[in-house]
Structures are given as C-alpha cells and as structure tokens.
Amino acid sequence: VTPRRQRQMCIRDRGNNALLSRAAWIKGAGIGVKTATIFPNNLKRDPALPSVHAVFTLFDDETGVPQALIDGTMVTKWKTAGDSILGARLLARPDSKTVTLVGAGAVCSSLIDAYREVFPDIERILGWNRTFARAQKLAAEKGVEAIQDLQEAFGLAGIVSSATLSIEAILLGEWIFTARLPQIVPEGVLVHTPKPLDPVQVDAEESGQSPLP
C-alpha cells in the first residue's frame, strides 16, 4: 500500500524573480522541504550565475529531527528529466526517432542523457533556445543538433520536451494542426512542458476534438 502523503506549495515573487517552496510529508518515510530561488537575470551577470538555486531538507517523520541537507538543484535536474521520460514512455509513439528539446540549461543537458539512456533508438535530438549561441554551445557539448527555427523543430519531432524559465507560451497550438505528426498523444507528438500551453492547444484538448480535420 502506498503511504498517503500531504503536499503544499508556497510561491513568492518579486518582479521576474521567484522563491518556491514545496513540502511533502509521507508517513513512515519522512518530511521533505525543497526550496528554490529563480533569478533569470543571473545569466547576464559578470561572471554569470545559474538562474536556479535550491536546497532540499529531509526531516525524520517521528521526531522532526533534520536528517539530511541535499543539493536541491541536482534533485530538480534529475526529477524534471524523470518526469519527461515517464511521460514519453507512457504516451509517445514507440517508433519516435526525433526529440526536440526547448532550452539550453542544466535540465536540458540531463534530458539529453536521459533520453539517450531510456530511448536508445532515438536517432536525432534537436536543441532550440532563444539565444541560438547557447543552443549551439549545448549541442557541441552533448553531440546533438542546434536548430534556429522552433516551429521546424516541432514539426520534425515525435517528442517535444520544454525546460525553460519562460512564463510565456513558446509552443503554439496551431503548430499541432500543421505538424508532420499532428496529434499530441497517443498517435503523434508528445509535448512535455511545465509551462501553460498555448490556448489553441488547450481548447482542442478540453473539447475532446481531434486537431485533424
């Protein structure tokens, strides 16, 4: 029997910067609190700093005594990659050969490693970023392809995974209607993104109508 868990999230923001805190209490397992800061402009500093910093604190379930202080950035990186991989394993076409990744940070780097490990038949991994030079840098480091046109990359992919700090919709719903693989799931493109989807896509999903004519 899976232990019941209690969860709660707290978000505070100031301009483009944000403080996120998420807590979970699993009986018999422990109490965990992950706190992260998101400062997008850190990349523009000299020297540049990571945009995300985080810590994870583990407490004993019976006494409340702190048990461990863990690098939360590492947890975020691999937990996000795990989310994307799980979604792809459950929903993506088994014959998908191309993955498009949106972003060029640490999470995207871990996504490349994760997809190669779990989907060994993947033939192409395309990387897109608003700043093309960053996409090129990551592509050179990880042996993938940098691409400038996101819509083109979307149309080529069987799986699309977004890992950016953008608060605006990047992937447009209308692309699903015109993509070479036009449906999200189960017969087409799987899109994994922590950001709100473009309204056109959301409306199509909520109506239960296929985007195909």
Side-chain angles (χ1 to χ4, degrees), residues 52-89:
V52 178
H53 295 269
V55 294
F56 181 89
T57 308
L58 177 67
F59 299 89
D60 184 87
D61 176 48
E62 295 185 359
T63 66
V65 175
Q67 300 291 300
L69 186 64
I70 303 170
D71 178 1
T73 305
M74 178 272 294
V75 172
T76 297
K77 182 176 77 170
W78 288 111
K79 186 265 184 187
T80 305
D83 288 343
S84 183
I85 290 295
L86 178 60
R89 289 182 64 180

Side-chain angles (χ1 to χ4, degrees), residues 161-179:
S161 185
S162 175
T164 80
L165 296 177
S166 174
I167 60 175
E168 301 176 355
I170 296 177
L171 303 170
L172 303 185
E174 64 188 46
W175 295 353
I176 297 172
F177 305 160
T178 58

Side-chain angles (χ1 to χ4, degrees), residues 112-131:
I112 293 170
D113 295 335
Y115 273 102
R116 283 175 168 162
E117 180 68 25
V118 180
F119 291 86
D121 292 333
I122 288 291
E123 297 175 353
R124 297 180 72 189
I125 298 179
L126 307 176
W128 179 90
N129 193 69
R130 287 187 188 275
T131 305

